[in-house]
Amino acid sequence: MKACSTESKPPLRNYAGVIGIAFVIYLALGGLGLCLSVPPGYASPIFPAAGFAVAIMLWSANRAWPGIWLGSLALNLSVAWAHGDLSLINALTAAGIAGGSTLQALVASKLVERSVEKSWSSLEQEKDILHSLFWSGPVACVISATAGVSVLYTLQIIPASAFVHSWWNWWVGDTLGVVVVMPLVLGALYRHESPWRKRLITLVLPMLITLGVVFGAYFVTAEWEKKQQEIRIQEHGEKLEQVLKHRFVAHQEALSALRRLIEVTPEMTFKQFEYFTAITLRDNPDIFALSFNPYVTALQREAFEKRMANRNTNARFEIKERDPQRQLVRAGKRSDFVVVSYIAPLKGNLPAIGFDINSEPVRHSAIENAKKSRSPSVTAPIQLVQESKERIGALVLHPAYQLPQASGEAASVANLIGFAVGVIKVDEMIGIATRSVAEDGLVYQIDDVDSNQTIYRSHEAIMPGDSRLQWRRRLTMADRIWEMKIWPTHEYIEQHRPWTTWIIGATGLSFSALLQLLMLIVTGHANIVERKVQEQTRELLDNNATVQDRNAQLDAMFTLSPDGFVAFAPDGRIKFANPAFQFMTGISLPELDGQKTEADLEARLRNQMKHPESFSGIASCFAGLGEKPVPRILILQQPRHRVLQLVGIRSEATSVSRILYLRDITSEAEVDRMKSEFLSHAAHELRTPMASIYGFSELLLEMEFDEVTRRDLLETIHRQSRWLVDIINELLDLARIEAQQGKDFTIKNIDVKVLVADALHNLSFDPERWPVTLALTETIGSVIRADSAKISQALINVLNNAQKYSPDGGTIHIEIVTKPGCSGIAVSDFGVGMTPDQIKHIGERFWRADSSGKIPGTGLGMTIVMEILQFHGGHVEVRSQPEAGTTVTLWLPNAEDNETP
């Protein structure tokens, strides 16, 4: 074929037409690219206009640049106009982006002409195709991405955190646009030239089908991802609904219990009321106050005021209400009153004593509802006047009635005692309820439906226009209806950007580009490819003898190698396994005869593993030809514990297509594990006291303090230094025990009772707060052979733990127990206890059951205990239940079982 030349470019008199064509097509293809974008952020997997711009610049000898600039400007201005934000900033942004797009097309054209000269017009040679697509795509597309994102950042349209992300999306979209679209546009422009006349039909039809499939999958996936976003927000909303309902039900139960107490003990004292409500208020910080408000008729008012005044001898009691100036004054005449008589906590709520809540319309409405329904009622949102800051609250009222005189007597106003009232801090209740399931970036808003008032909102972000991203649900709170609304912020949508659609689009378009590249190469270079294959075949035949000699050398090396090798035939059969493989795995060479396959070997290895599911399989060890192999780890438990590193290598040999390499890294793995574990824990434990010592000592050096403060700082330094010394001493003890392996133990017969008595003598905690009881009855086998000092150290560690984890004090019980061949010292406390999961971690270095840091300790005590007992041939038994205490038993062999005859 005769190559196209640039002689066919349009004459100068068609200059205006070229600009017009460039403008119209660039604008249309740019709009198509935006239609393929995935909001937010407009991350499009392809921008076809970029490929068209390069092709039209090559075809027009770089004369079409004004059309490209105008097309890009109009495209970006139309985006701003569609969003209702056609401002000067957006106009400058559009101009800057248009300049970057035009410069990119110009530079790409120059790079292609310099790389392949005039061969870009035919794209027949493989080198010409690759060079043209490379320089105009990945290289030149850096320009528009950099210029456009820099303009957006400079004009503060995007934050610095989004710079790299936006640049990447821009660059990928432009690159795929150039690689996919530029050859198609060149083919259309040179459709009458011989290099393209036949190739265009072969190229266009498969590409149209492929792009149609890709775009179809793209739009289907985009719709699916939108649905998933909607489902994710809905599921989160349902979780929030449940926890909020559970929180409100818990408050309802607390108030119901208070109501029942009032019904049983209507004439309770202030102390009784405060005692009963103390735990509820402590455990529920969102309950601002609990009160008992008796129901008082006008006829009962005078007697009621006298009775309440007699109960509270330090104050004059009267029923009060608020005047128009919001001042508390004596209540006027009414038919009935609901008076705050008992309230907790009293501090801060003392002015509320005597207040008639029935005097205010909001509370009156809830009272009337409760009286009519004889059920709990909730007020409309109110301002908590006792709070130091403005916040929304609500009153929950439970009507209390006199106990029925006869079975089945119905509750009525006649026997209404009053109301158990809970003052709920709505925002704090919602915050506590949703704390465990709340997710950053989601806005939660709760409205009171009847009053059309917002009572809680977690953020100030506006509600998105897409109703599919909004979730609403009405909640029934006693007799009141609240509506919960949830929607995502822009930052949440950015963080949870659905990448599947973009990935599918980019992957599909990449495949389309590769398919197009392949078809270009095949149609233009069929003869060259055939000749190259023939030459490679002859070269392989000539080198056959060399390959056989090399195989013999490799066989000898494999046999002598300390590392394991297994060779597989193309059909998966095992061709060869060296002796080192047998030594590592315990699989004898006769077991790997010519009929065994890769699957058989994998099954055998899995049988020797403790966790076979952790092994991804032999096939996963092999990378593709030319790819870097990825090492895999195989941990065997049989016939011995070994950690093996597996690497698979592929070859093009006809008899052996793959070779599996095994290296024993057991020692390295164990050393790395121990080193990492020690450094991690040691650094964590040592950092805290060192930081305190350094900080307080620096304060003492740099600042002057009074004597009390100076002594307090010095005591802190001393306390942290003692903690640091304890950590170091326990680390040294542990290292000494492990290094000596029991060689420095002085073993002799020891009476267990004497050992316990000596240990108790050395205890440092308060015996009155933590009294120790002993059960040292005469038992058979209470004499053991052990190192007295080491066992005492272990017992003292256990006793100290019993004291530490009984922070409220309590008895510590010691008992000598026996079982055949062993004697045990059981230490029991009645402290905080442990869960079964916590018990599993006992003995791990630096692990402590208390994660709050309130209980002192290093986390090495039980490790030392278990090391000491291990070298004595004993073991530690732990039994515990949360909030019920812990029993730790030190089991040691009896003396008669260890004495040498």
Side-chain angles (χ1 to χ4, degrees):
M1 293 183 181
K2 181 180 178 181
C4 293
S5 68
T6 56
E7 299 295 331
S8 57
K9 292 174 184 177
L12 188 60
R13 63 177 178 272
N14 292 331
Y15 182 50
V18 171
I19 294 175
I21 292 173
F23 168 76
V24 172
I25 298 180
Y26 188 97
L27 182 60
L29 292 178
L32 176 61
L34 294 182
C35 291
L36 297 173
S37 63
V38 182
Y42 306 101
S44 177
I46 185 173
F47 193 64
F52 167 78
V54 177
I56 198 68
M57 288 289 281
L58 287 169
W59 179 74
S60 66
N62 299 324
R63 291 180 293 173
W65 68 265
I68 296 171
W69 187 86
L70 291 172
S72 179
L73 178 67
L75 176 66
N76 288 282
L77 288 176
S78 66
V79 172
W81 176 78
H83 287 80
D85 190 18
L86 195 58
S87 61
L88 177 61
I89 293 295
N90 286 329
L92 293 175
T93 302
I97 294 174
S101 301
T102 305
L103 180 61
Q104 174 177 287
L106 179 62
V107 171
S109 173
K110 293 294 185 181
L111 289 174
V112 170
E113 289 178 339
R114 182 175 180 180
S115 175
V116 299
E117 296 181 347
K118 297 181 179 181
S119 299
W120 57 264
S121 60
S122 61
L123 294 180
E124 287 185 320
Q125 301 293 324
E126 181 179 352
K127 175 179 71 66
D128 298 337
I129 297 171
L130 294 176
H131 281 204
S132 297
L133 295 179
F134 174 75
W135 289 108
S136 62
V139 175
C141 288
V142 170
I143 297 173
S144 181
T146 303
V149 176
S150 297
V151 168
L152 293 174
Y153 171 71
T154 302
L155 297 178
Q156 299 182 348
I157 295 176
I158 63 171
S161 58
F163 190 96
V164 175
H165 169 76
S166 300
W167 186 94
W168 170 255
N169 284 333
W170 200 309
W171 179 81
V172 170
D174 277 12
T175 299
L176 287 175
V178 170
V179 172
V180 173
V181 175
M182 187 187 77
L184 295 175
V185 175
L186 287 176
L189 292 172
Y190 291 103
R191 60 189 179 278
H192 300 300
E193 302 293 336
S194 57
W196 290 99
R197 192 176 298 128
K198 295 181 180 179
R199 295 172 66 196
L200 192 59
I201 298 175
T202 306
L203 184 65
V204 170
L205 183 59
M207 284 302 299
L208 290 177
I209 295 174
T210 303
L211 291 175
V213 172
V214 171
F215 290 151
Y218 179 86
F219 287 115
V220 170
T221 308
E223 185 64 24
W224 175 81
E225 283 189 333
K226 288 182 180 178
K227 183 65 177 177
Q228 293 304 307
Q229 283 183 327
E230 178 185 357
I231 292 174
R232 187 185 303 116
I233 295 174
Q234 177 183 346
E235 291 176 346
H236 190 74
E238 290 172 350
K239 289 180 182 178
L240 289 172
E241 176 189 7
Q242 291 299 318
V243 296
L244 185 55
K245 282 185 175 180
H246 289 164
R247 187 73 186 178
F248 186 76
V249 168
H251 294 343
Q252 286 277 63
E253 292 174 351
L255 284 171
S256 180
L258 180 59
R259 172 186 59 79
R260 289 193 294 271
L261 176 66
I262 294 168
E263 291 174 342
V264 173
T265 315
E267 298 297 328
M268 72 179 76
T269 65
F270 291 109
K271 287 187 177 180
Q272 288 175 330
F273 183 84
E274 185 175 7
Y275 178 80
F276 183 80
T277 57
I279 295 178
T280 301
L281 291 171
R282 184 194 65 192
D283 295 341
N284 299 275
D286 49 334
I287 297 181
F288 181 73
L290 292 172
S291 68
F292 168 41
N293 301 358
Y295 177 73
V296 181
T297 65
L299 296 176
Q300 299 169 338
R301 174 175 180 171
E302 182 177 355
F304 173 77
E305 289 179 335
K306 289 181 180 180
R307 185 168 65 253
M308 293 304 298
N310 291 334
R311 290 183 184 177
N312 186 7
T313 58
N314 295 326
R316 177 173 173 267
F317 185 90
E318 63 178 359
I319 300 176
K320 295 173 288 187
E321 64 182 4
R322 292 190 183 275
D323 62 14
Q325 288 74 39
R326 305 298 296 168
Q327 299 298 317
L328 289 172
V329 297
R330 179 174 176 82
K333 294 182 179 181
R334 280 190 296 276
S335 61
D336 52 10
F337 309 86
V338 179
V339 186
V340 178
S341 299
Y342 299 85
I343 190 167
L346 192 57
K347 183 179 180 181
N349 292 304
L350 191 59
I353 297 294
F355 179 67
D356 176 23
I357 65 173
N358 202 25
S359 64
E360 290 193 354
V362 172
R363 294 169 173 83
H364 173 76
S365 176
I367 291 171
E368 291 302 313
N369 289 338
K371 287 165 61 177
K372 291 177 182 178
S373 65
R374 301 183 179 89
S375 301
S377 178
V378 180
T379 67
I382 61 173
Q383 176 67 41
L384 297 181
V385 296
Q386 295 92 337
E387 277 280 359
S388 59
K389 63 178 183 179
E390 292 188 1
R391 70 190 320 161
I392 297 296
L395 269 62
V396 183
L397 297 90
H398 279 235
Y401 296 89
Q402 296 176 6
L403 292 178
Q405 301 300 318
S407 176
E409 181 182 338
S412 65
V413 177
N415 56 9
L416 177 65
I417 300 175
F419 296 86
V421 180
V423 184
I424 308 299
K425 293 182 279 190
V426 175
D427 57 342
E428 191 163 350
M429 180 186 75
I430 298 171
I432 292 174
T434 60
R435 186 179 301 156
S436 60
V437 295
E439 188 170 343
D440 292 339
L442 287 180
V443 181
Y444 316 119
Q445 178 174 312
I446 296 181
D447 300 327
D448 184 79
V449 175
D450 295 332
S451 64
N452 195 25
Q453 181 179 355
T454 297
I455 59 178
Y456 178 80
R457 189 169 186 177
S458 59
H459 301 80
E460 292 303 322
I462 62 173
M463 187 176 295
D466 189 351
S467 60
R468 298 176 63 175
L469 296 179
Q470 304 171 22
W471 181 85
R472 298 169 181 257
R473 181 66 58 84
R474 290 201 168 187
L475 312 177
T476 301
M477 299 298 182
D479 62 340
R480 203 149 194 92
I481 302 298
W482 291 355
E483 183 177 49
M484 176 182 286
K485 302 174 184 177
I486 298 178
W487 67 87
T489 63
H490 180 76
E491 291 75 12
Y492 177 90
I493 299 175
E494 284 287 347
Q495 292 173 2
H496 296 78
R497 181 191 301 275
W499 283 107
T500 305
T501 301
W502 188 90
I503 291 172
I504 287 178
T507 304
L509 292 168
S510 299
F511 171 78
S512 302
L514 291 175
L515 177 63
Q516 179 176 257
L517 177 64
L518 178 62
M519 289 188 293
L520 286 171
I521 294 173
V522 169
T523 56
H525 299 280
N527 293 334
I528 297 175
V529 172
E530 183 178 355
R531 287 196 302 270
K532 188 174 182 179
V533 170
Q534 292 175 351
E535 292 174 1
Q536 290 177 343
T537 303
R538 285 195 298 270
E539 184 178 352
L540 288 173
L541 293 174
D542 294 339
N543 293 330
N544 185 44
T546 304
V547 172
Q548 291 179 352
D549 181 63
R550 183 179 299 172
N551 287 340
Q553 296 176 18
L554 291 175
D555 287 342
M557 293 171 62
F558 289 162
T559 302
L560 297 174
S561 173
D563 297 327
F565 293 90
V566 182
F568 297 97
D571 60 0
R573 289 182 298 108
I574 298 175
K575 296 286 292 183
F576 170 78
N578 70 338
F581 172 83
Q582 176 185 0
F583 177 76
M584 292 179 183
T585 62
I587 302 175
S588 61
L589 296 180
E591 293 179 85
L592 303 177
D593 57 25
Q595 300 304 316
K596 298 296 184 181
T597 64
E598 172 187 325
D600 297 326
L601 176 59
E602 183 174 321
R604 179 64 185 275
L605 291 174
R606 289 186 184 276
N607 288 335
Q608 297 178 204
M609 298 174 64
K610 184 176 181 180
H611 300 289
E613 70 279 358
S614 63
F615 181 46
S616 56
I618 294 177
S620 67
C621 301
F622 295 93
L625 286 174
E627 297 180 2
K628 184 178 180 180
V630 179
R632 306 289 182 186
I633 300 300
L634 178 68
I635 303 177
L636 300 179
Q637 297 297 328
Q638 298 175 357
R640 64 185 67 86
H641 174 72
R642 286 190 181 275
V643 181
L644 305 179
Q645 185 183 68
L646 279 63
V647 178
I649 303 174
R650 297 182 184 272
S651 70
E652 295 181 344
T654 56
S655 61
V656 175
S657 62
R658 295 176 299 160
I659 298 176
L660 182 66
Y661 167 78
L662 299 88
R663 177 170 169 261
D664 191 344
I665 59 169
T666 305
S667 299
E668 295 94 318
E670 182 63 19
V671 169
D672 286 345
R673 183 192 67 80
M674 295 176 64
K675 179 178 68 175
S676 298
E677 182 180 78
F678 174 79
L679 289 177
S680 175
H681 289 306
H684 175 75
E685 295 296 331
L686 293 173
R687 184 183 294 113
T688 300
M690 286 300 295
S692 297
I693 293 170
Y694 178 83
F696 286 121
S697 61
E698 186 177 30
L699 284 175
L700 288 170
L701 287 172
E702 298 294 333
M703 299 177 63
E704 292 293 332
F705 297 95
D706 58 76
E707 182 60 24
V708 174
T709 304
R710 188 183 67 83
R711 181 170 183 82
D712 181 67
L713 294 177
L714 288 173
E715 287 176 352
T716 301
I717 293 173
H718 181 265
R719 184 167 59 255
Q720 295 297 329
S721 300
R722 185 169 65 248
W723 184 13
L724 190 61
V725 170
D726 289 343
I727 295 174
I728 295 173
N729 285 338
E730 290 191 345
L731 284 172
L732 292 175
D733 286 344
L734 194 59
R736 189 180 302 111
I737 292 171
E738 293 179 344
Q740 294 294 331
Q741 295 289 310
K743 296 177 182 178
D744 61 338
F745 287 14
T746 302
I747 306 299
K748 60 182 180 181
N749 288 353
I750 302 173
D751 190 322
V752 177
K753 292 182 287 186
V754 175
L755 180 67
V756 172
D758 290 341
L760 292 177
H761 182 70
N762 294 322
L763 290 178
S764 59
F765 54 78
D766 184 3
E768 293 184 0
R769 188 176 178 187
W770 292 279
V772 179
T773 62
L774 307 177
L776 305 180
T777 58
E778 292 293 332
T779 56
I780 299 175
S782 60
V783 177
I784 59 174
R785 282 185 62 79
D787 185 308
S788 177
K790 294 295 188 293
I791 298 301
S792 292
Q793 180 184 0
L795 180 56
I796 289 172
N797 283 355
V798 174
L799 288 168
N800 286 335
N801 278 350
Q803 176 260 331
K804 290 176 184 177
Y805 289 94
S806 300
D808 297 329
T811 301
I812 299 175
H813 184 69
I814 302 178
E815 182 180 6
I816 297 178
V817 294
T818 62
K819 63 181 179 180
C822 294
S823 293
I825 305 172
V827 178
S828 300
D829 65 71
F830 302 92
V832 297
M834 291 181 288
T835 65
D837 184 65
Q838 289 175 318
I839 293 176
K840 294 178 183 178
H841 294 280
I842 291 179
E844 294 181 10
R845 300 183 183 191
F846 297 104
W847 183 87
R848 303 178 64 239
D850 172 57
S851 60
S852 67
K854 297 180 180 178
I855 300 178
T858 62
L860 293 172
M862 286 304 297
T863 306
I864 293 174
V865 171
M866 299 183 83
E867 291 283 347
I868 290 174
L869 263 71
Q870 179 182 350
F871 287 114
H872 280 85
H875 68 280
V876 179
E877 178 183 357
V878 180
R879 300 191 307 275
S880 182
Q881 290 184 358
E883 306 302 327
T886 302
T887 298
V888 178
T889 306
L890 308 182
W891 289 104
L892 291 160
N894 291 333
E896 57 268 26
D897 293 334
N898 290 279
E899 292 177 341
T900 303

